[in-house]
Amino acid sequence: MRNRLVAAFALPLSALALAGCGLFGPETYEVDERSVEVEAGDEFTLSVPASPSLGENWYVADPRPDRDVVRLQGQDEEYEDDGGNVGGGGGTQSFTFRAVEPGTTKIKLLYCKLGTCAAKFGDPAPSPSGSPIPVASGSPGENDREYFIYTVTVR
């Protein structure tokens, strides 16, 4: 009986331990989590709301994060089902980084609304006409061009 009880708890505890190691994917940070702390070697994702089908996109902007601390691994976009509505639905864009060495750096994401920046998702950050407005809110979209700035600390 005791061996069965131990076996019954071993599997869920193993899964929990592996989840903490990042084996089920990188840790994801949303727009309300602007302070990121990770271990060297970990991957993490910044996920931001967007409507790429409507020309609203995010870009990693200058100054770029310190490559000795973090490196961009990839970008992705995901569309939500719009239920057949004209004009497209919402979605998210995500940027996955690898923590390289201990240190602190900033990641600056530029939000461009309705094609205000002449670039496509995955392109390098464009130079928008006019100056983007830094935002501290978790709701992009009130201005045509905005920045979200994340502070990343690698331990």
Side-chain angles (χ1 to χ4, degrees):
M1 177 73 168
R2 183 177 171 163
N3 288 339
R4 288 184 191 165
L5 186 59
V6 170
F9 284 109
L11 185 58
L13 290 175
S14 297
L16 184 61
L18 291 174
C21 295
L23 291 180
F24 293 117
E27 180 78 24
T28 299
Y29 296 87
E30 306 289 335
V31 294
D32 59 340
E33 302 171 284
R34 305 284 175 82
S35 182
V36 175
E37 291 187 20
V38 294
E39 298 292 326
D42 287 354
E43 283 193 355
F44 63 95
T45 298
L46 303 179
S47 179
V48 290
S51 294
S53 63
L54 296 177
E56 297 179 2
N57 287 297
W58 289 87
Y59 307 91
V60 177
D62 291 325
R64 300 289 178 161
D66 184 344
R67 288 185 47 81
D68 290 337
V69 179
V70 298
R71 292 194 184 142
L72 181 64
Q73 297 297 298
Q75 304 176 51
D76 196 15
E77 56 188 6
E78 188 172 303
Y79 299 98
E80 294 176 7
D81 183 9
D82 65 2
N85 295 330
V86 176
T92 58
Q93 287 182 235
S94 58
F95 300 85
T96 300
F97 293 86
R98 176 169 300 281
V100 180
E101 294 181 18
T104 299
T105 190
K106 296 202 182 287
I107 298 173
K108 189 178 196 181
L109 297 182
L110 169 65
Y111 171 70
C112 294
K113 183 177 179 180
L114 301 173
T116 55
C117 299
K120 295 179 183 173
F121 177 69
D123 289 348
S127 297
S129 57
S131 181
I133 300 166
V135 291
S137 74
S139 302
E142 296 173 11
N143 300 297
D144 288 343
R145 292 166 305 278
E146 301 170 350
Y147 287 123
F148 275 8
I149 300 173
Y150 295 81
T151 302
V152 180
T153 302
V154 177
R155 299 181 298 263

